[in-house]
């Protein structure tokens, strides 16, 4: 994002005016379009609002923009010899369409992180650079020359990667499959998107966990699906709740993240797994199992996926490299009956002709290399270390004000605030103090829960981040007393 240069002699307000004039002349803001508010633009550029006011005054004096009370500031139509009927109403288009924008809290978090790089990030659900296998992948790319044809590949995915996944899934997850039953995707979210768009229809009822990461994804609502909640306890979702929803609403599919569930960290025991599979078999109901975190189990063996106990093919299994290697590789996979794989591969071909073959080649080499197991072991130790730092800081900074269960894997800590507090106000106050987290309501919970991610922040940032959060919380509590 462009920022004014404070090292040059040209006044900052003039730099901002020139930058906006250039964007307007390029058509980024067509005639009649609404500009960001003075306050929002000041936040984006890291300047005082008065500086933006001066920049706007400069542009108004040149006739480039015009302001009306209650209507905001818009690009002038007369200056550019255009009238509104000659220019598409891009604001209406941006607000239209069937695919919904991200939820407001998530947009605020991402905008804040983009505008303030110094924020301590305890919100983003990805690995920090020090946890990713950067050196290993760099070494692999040096060892292997990628000289194969760089045309469109099989829309189902690069065959050597699917073959590598067959071995990986059997050895690491106890899932027996063949390469013909694997679809390579750009990650778990694309897998979910393909499922909701191709296997379900508007008006269909589906069940998702409560709380659930799925609540933060507008793709379910964009597909016109009716969402029904499955309460999550210490062992995850319950089979009796699935049966009840099927009886009342004829749900057509169940979406679960059983192992180290996001955000609660819950893990089903053997009895619960058997009950879930029995319900799926009894009702002829498919379960979509999203399993990004199992291999992060800190001390014990990774918990088995439902798919490893599924002889009837009731489970659509989703996995990804994002939480165990690098989100930037954009490699995920789905294990499904062959008819489903062919249907979704056909849809993928219509969308983008398949993924880039180069990251798929890298991923295949990494899975087959001697680097993979040591990387996983290092990742588990470092995640546990960061988890412990977070827990220690929370107990020190917020005694009696917060409760949580200690997760045994994953990247997140799910916390309940003892005092009542407004989600939005707490997030705003935390951002002002230099830390960002995800309010629990993003995942469908009532106000009063927060999710801290400990994988993204540096180890030395975790304690200061919690201290800043504690300051934000106490400032709100002091304000109501």
């Amino acid at each position: 994002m462009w920022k004014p240069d404070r090292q040059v002699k040209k006044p900052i307000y003039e730099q901002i005016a020139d930058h906006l004039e250039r964007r307007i002349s390029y058509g980024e803001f067509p005639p009649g379009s609404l500009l960001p508010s003075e306050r929002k633009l000041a936040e984006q550029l890291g300047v005082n609002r008065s500086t933006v006011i001066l920049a706007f005054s400069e542009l108004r004096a040149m006739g480039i923009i015009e302001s009306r009370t209650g209507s905001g500031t818009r690009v002038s139509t007369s200056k550019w010899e255009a009238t509104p009927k000659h220019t598409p109403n891009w604001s209406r288009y941006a607000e239209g369409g069937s695919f919904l924008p991200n939820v407001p809290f998530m947009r605020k978090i991402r905008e804040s992180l983009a505008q303030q790089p110094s924020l301590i990030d305890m919100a983003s659900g990805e690995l920090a650079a020090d946890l990713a296998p950067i050196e290993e992948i760099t070494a692999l790319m040096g060892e292997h020359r990628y000289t194969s044809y760089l045309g469109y590949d099989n829309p189902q995915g690069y065959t050597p990667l699917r073959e590598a996944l067959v071995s990986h899934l059997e050895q690491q997850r106890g899932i027996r499959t063949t390469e013909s039953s694997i679809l390579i995707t750009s990650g778990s979210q694309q897998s979910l998107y393909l499922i909701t768009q191709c296997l379900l229809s508007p008006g269909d009822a589906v069940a998702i966990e409560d709380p659930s990461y799925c609540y933060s994804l507008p793709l379910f609502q964009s597909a016109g699906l009716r969402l029904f909640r499955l309460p999550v306890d210490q062992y995850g979702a319950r089979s009796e709740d699935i049966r009840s929803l099927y009886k009342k609403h004829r749900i057509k599919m169940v979406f679960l993240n059983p192992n180290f569930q996001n955000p609660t960290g819950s893990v089903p025991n053997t009895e619960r797994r058997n009950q879930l599979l029995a319900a799926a078999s009894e009702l002829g109901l498919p379960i979509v199992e999203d399993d990004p975190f199992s291999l992060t189990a800190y001390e014990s063996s990774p918990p088995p996926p439902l798919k490893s106990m599924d002889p009837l093919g009731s489970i659509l299994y989703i996995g990804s490299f994002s939480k165990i290697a690098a989100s930037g590789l954009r490699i995920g996979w789905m294990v499904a009956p062959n008819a489903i794989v062919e249907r979704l591969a056909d849809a993928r071909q219509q969308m983008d002709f398949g993924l880039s073959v180069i990251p798929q080649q890298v991923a295949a080499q990494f899975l087959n290399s001697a680097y993979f197991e040591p990387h996983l072991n290092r990742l588990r130790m470092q995640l546990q270390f960061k988890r412990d730092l977070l827990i220690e800081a929370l107990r020190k900074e917020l005694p009696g004000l917060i409760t949580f269960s200690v997760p045994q894997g994953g990247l997140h800590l799910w916390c309940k605030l003892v005092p009542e507090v407004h989600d939005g106000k707490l997030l705003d106050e935390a951002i002002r103090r230099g830390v960002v987290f995800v309010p629990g309501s993003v995942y469908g919970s009532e106000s009063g829960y927060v999710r801290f991610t400990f994988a993204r922040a540096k180890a030395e940032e975790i304690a200061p981040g919690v201290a800043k959060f504690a300051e934000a919380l106490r400032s709100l509590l002091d304000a109501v007393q």
Side-chain angles (χ1 to χ4, degrees):
M1 176 181 289
W2 178 86
K3 299 276 188 180
D5 187 348
R6 299 178 184 275
Q7 306 302 316
V8 300
K9 293 182 179 180
K10 189 172 188 176
I12 289 176
Y13 80 91
E14 289 186 9
Q15 294 182 49
I16 295 172
D18 290 349
H19 175 69
L20 288 173
E21 182 181 6
R22 186 163 58 251
R23 295 182 69 187
I24 290 168
S25 69
Y26 291 165
E28 293 181 35
F29 293 107
S33 62
L34 187 66
L35 292 175
S37 69
E38 295 164 351
R39 187 182 304 278
K40 184 172 183 179
L41 193 56
E43 291 176 354
Q44 290 177 350
L45 300 179
V47 300
N48 293 327
R49 184 181 176 187
S50 59
T51 305
V52 175
I53 292 173
L54 284 174
F56 276 11
S57 297
E58 189 86 356
L59 294 172
R60 269 193 297 271
M62 292 187 287
I64 293 173
I65 64 174
E66 51 195 28
S67 301
R68 293 180 183 175
T69 304
S71 300
T73 300
R74 296 180 180 274
V75 177
S76 172
T77 56
S78 57
K79 173 72 175 179
W80 305 97
E81 299 180 352
T83 61
K85 68 180 181 181
H86 294 144
T87 305
N89 188 338
W90 292 117
S91 295
R92 184 173 297 172
Y93 281 100
E95 295 167 0
S98 61
F99 200 83
L100 300 175
N102 232 319
V103 296
F105 277 148
M106 297 307 294
R107 293 203 301 273
K108 178 187 284 287
I109 289 168
R110 287 170 185 169
E111 288 173 3
S112 298
L113 287 168
Q115 295 162 14
Q116 305 176 52
S118 62
L119 278 177
I120 296 175
D121 185 358
M122 303 183 80
S124 301
E126 61 177 334
L127 302 179
D130 62 337
L131 299 181
I134 296 173
E135 293 183 4
E136 294 91 331
I137 287 177
T138 300
L140 284 171
M141 295 183 74
E143 293 169 9
H144 299 275
R145 295 182 63 193
Y146 299 102
T147 57
S148 61
Y149 172 61
L150 295 180
Y152 295 130
D153 195 48
N154 188 325
Q156 193 174 328
Y158 181 57
T159 300
L161 175 56
R162 287 185 284 126
E163 292 171 345
L165 281 167
V166 169
S167 175
H168 165 77
L169 290 169
E170 182 168 8
Q171 293 174 13
Q172 299 282 350
R173 309 304 298 122
I175 295 172
R176 302 183 69 183
T177 187
T178 66
E179 65 274 9
S180 62
S181 293
I182 296 176
L183 174 70
I184 304 300
T185 68
S186 65
S188 295
Q189 284 190 216
Q190 188 181 60
S191 297
L192 293 172
Y193 177 81
L194 288 169
I195 289 169
T196 58
Q197 291 293 320
C198 301
L199 307 185
L200 296 165
S201 301
D204 283 349
V206 300
I208 62 178
E209 297 157 316
D210 177 25
S212 170
Y213 170 69
C214 289
Y215 277 104
S216 70
L217 303 177
L219 62 87
F220 289 88
Q221 291 89 340
S222 297
L225 304 178
R226 294 182 294 135
L227 302 181
F228 294 95
R229 303 181 179 214
L230 290 170
V232 171
D233 62 17
Q234 68 183 98
Y235 299 119
R238 298 185 295 265
S239 59
E240 55 265 35
D241 292 325
I242 293 176
R243 288 188 173 89
S244 176
L245 288 180
Y246 183 82
K247 182 177 181 181
K248 292 179 181 177
H249 304 289
R250 286 296 185 265
I251 56 174
K252 294 191 67 173
M253 195 171 283
V254 178
F255 292 81
L256 300 179
N257 167 210
N259 291 331
F260 308 126
Q261 196 258 358
N262 183 5
T264 67
S266 65
V267 178
N269 57 20
T270 302
E271 180 182 9
R272 183 66 59 86
R273 294 175 200 277
N274 288 330
Q275 291 170 347
L276 291 170
L277 288 167
S281 174
E282 175 188 324
L283 302 173
L285 193 61
I287 293 178
V288 177
E289 180 181 17
D290 190 4
D291 187 28
F293 303 116
S294 287
L295 292 183
T296 65
Y298 307 142
E299 295 178 331
S300 58
S301 298
L306 296 174
K307 184 65 178 174
S308 68
M309 306 165 63
D310 172 41
L312 302 177
S314 299
I315 307 295
L316 299 180
Y317 180 81
I318 294 173
S320 169
F321 264 164
S322 296
K323 313 304 181 186
I324 60 170
S327 56
L329 279 176
R330 306 312 306 137
I331 297 294
W333 52 86
M334 186 191 311
V335 180
N338 186 250
I340 298 301
V341 169
E342 290 181 352
R343 169 72 175 96
L344 300 186
D346 176 74
R348 269 282 310 281
Q349 187 172 37
Q350 296 179 57
M351 291 168 56
D352 58 14
F353 284 96
L355 301 174
S356 167
V357 71
I358 295 175
Q360 294 184 80
Q361 290 174 337
V362 172
Q365 294 290 348
F366 184 49
L367 279 176
N368 288 328
S369 74
Y371 297 121
F372 186 71
E373 279 293 340
H375 161 70
L376 275 184
N377 292 332
R378 178 174 63 90
L379 174 66
R380 290 163 179 154
M381 288 189 293
Q382 291 181 318
L383 284 175
Q384 185 177 15
F385 174 64
K386 287 188 172 184
R387 178 206 65 178
D388 292 345
L389 287 176
L390 175 59
I391 290 172
E392 180 183 4
L394 287 171
R395 288 173 174 165
K396 175 186 176 184
E397 298 287 347
L398 295 166
L401 294 178
I402 198 166
T403 62
F404 51 83
S405 295
V406 178
Q408 300 306 310
L411 318 183
H412 315 295
L413 184 65
W414 182 242
C415 302
K416 175 75 169 75
L417 299 176
V418 174
E420 292 186 7
V421 65
H422 187 277
D423 270 1
K425 292 180 180 178
L426 181 57
L427 179 60
D428 287 343
E429 191 64 34
I431 290 172
R432 276 194 289 271
R433 293 172 185 270
V435 65
V436 65
F437 65 94
V438 182
S441 57
V442 167
Y443 305 110
S445 287
E446 66 271 19
S447 182
Y449 285 85
V450 298
R451 192 199 76 174
F452 293 112
T453 299
F454 46 84
R456 188 69 179 86
K458 297 176 182 177
E460 61 269 22
E461 293 178 327
I462 290 176
V466 172
K468 293 175 185 293
F469 175 84
E471 291 173 5
L473 176 60
R474 287 197 167 93
S475 71
L476 292 182
L477 297 179
D478 291 342
V480 298
Q481 290 177 356

